[in-house]
């Protein structure tokens, strides 16, 4: 990420660790002190952001670049999780088709019921 604007010292992050942190981050609705009572925003408090991620200034808000980075790495982690789960479903479907030859007709998927 080095370049004319970005600084040196770029380090990779573990998307799954970040995703766990995102899941633990309190998110609430709020308004700025100077706004009318009926105005609402949604998001984490900057103090919680600093505590959970160690990014930014505790009282100065959340930097857009950090919010975007956390969002992107979380999306990447979710994509890897979904891809892995899809691969597992395909593998299990193949095993089921092999073990139960009289099961669903070829090309049909067995119904999966959520608990």
């Amino acid at each position: 990420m080095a370049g004319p604007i970005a600084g040196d010292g770029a380090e990779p992050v573990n998307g799954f660790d970040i995703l766990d942190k995102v899941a633990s981050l309190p998110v609430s609705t709020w308004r700025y002190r100077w706004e009318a009572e009926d105005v609402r925003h949604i998001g984490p408090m900057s103090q919680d952001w600093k505590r959970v991620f160690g990014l930014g200034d505790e009282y100065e808000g959340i930097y857009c670049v950090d919010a975007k980075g956390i969002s992107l790495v979380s999306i990447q982690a979710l994509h890897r999780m979904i891809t892995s789960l899809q691969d597992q479903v395909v593998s299990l479907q193949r095993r089921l088709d092999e073990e139960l030859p009289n099961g669903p007709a070829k090309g049909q998927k067995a119904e999966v019921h959520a608990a």
Side-chain angles (χ1 to χ4, degrees), residues 37-115:
E37 292 284 332
D38 62 336
V39 174
R40 303 303 294 170
H41 303 281
I42 188 168
M45 299 289 117
S46 59
Q47 298 88 341
D48 293 328
W49 183 269
K50 174 72 172 177
R51 178 181 49 78
V52 171
F53 298 113
L55 301 171
D57 295 326
E58 191 168 345
Y59 299 104
E60 295 298 320
I62 299 169
Y63 294 109
C64 288
V65 67
D66 294 331
K68 290 174 184 177
I70 294 296
S71 297
L72 286 171
V73 76
S74 296
I75 291 167
Q76 290 172 342
L78 288 170
H79 178 267
R80 288 192 300 271
M81 289 173 68
I82 291 168
T83 301
S84 174
L85 290 170
Q86 288 172 327
D87 291 346
Q88 290 177 40
V89 168
V90 167
S91 176
L92 290 171
Q93 184 65 50
R94 284 186 187 131
R95 283 181 51 199
L96 185 61
D97 290 345
E98 291 170 3
E99 292 177 16
L100 299 173
N102 295 328
K106 293 292 182 196
Q108 291 182 336
K109 300 291 182 203
E111 287 188 35
V112 177
H113 300 281

